[in-house]
Amino acid sequence: MKMIKLCENQKFDGSWELTEKISKILGKSQNEIKTSATIQDVNVWTTALAIAFLRKYFLEQRDEWEMIEEKAFNWLRTRDVEGKDVVQEAMNFLST
């Protein structure tokens, strides 16, 4: 159910916006997400977290969300990620 809710909240452009709904799905408070951001653009960080969340908890259902992930990566490529692997950093954050 969390996977579906997360996917339903992806914006048309492929990104995710930090909302109360998204923070609940991710199991972190909005404040935790904002303060943990390793990059200035919170929507880039939220999008990276969404990808990492799907990979961490729903890897066996990847065929169901692979296109969603691809759309998110295409959006991330258009953003300044400050030379960081934001998805890997998001994976690390979700593991804490």
Side-chain angles (χ1 to χ4, degrees):
M1 192 58 131
K2 281 188 173 190
M3 179 188 78
I4 293 168
K5 285 188 183 287
L6 183 64
C7 292
E8 286 175 345
N9 282 280
Q10 185 182 38
K11 292 173 58 179
F12 183 76
D13 64 7
S15 68
W16 276 270
E17 191 175 325
L18 181 56
T19 63
E20 187 65 33
K21 196 182 290 186
I22 294 298
S23 67
K24 282 184 181 176
I25 293 167
L26 296 175
K28 305 281 186 182
S29 71
Q30 284 184 314
N31 192 50
E32 267 183 294
I33 292 170
K34 285 178 189 172
T35 58
S36 71
T38 61
I39 191 163
Q40 284 189 335
D41 187 333
V42 173
N43 289 337
V44 168
W45 182 236
T46 304
T47 300
L49 285 170
I51 293 168
F53 188 83
L54 290 170
R55 288 180 173 184
K56 183 173 171 78
Y57 297 106
F58 303 101
L59 196 56
E60 292 176 5
Q61 292 133 303
R62 188 178 189 133
D63 58 329
E64 296 176 37
W65 51 262
E66 196 169 23
M67 301 282 283
I68 288 165
E69 179 189 53
E70 187 178 322
K71 190 172 186 179
F73 269 117
N74 286 339
W75 181 82
L76 282 175
R77 282 188 202 99
T78 68
R79 297 294 177 267
D80 179 12
V81 294
E82 301 169 15
K84 298 178 180 181
D85 183 347
V86 289
V87 175
Q88 184 57 53
E89 290 179 10
M91 288 289 282
N92 294 343
F93 171 68
L94 291 178
S95 297
T96 60

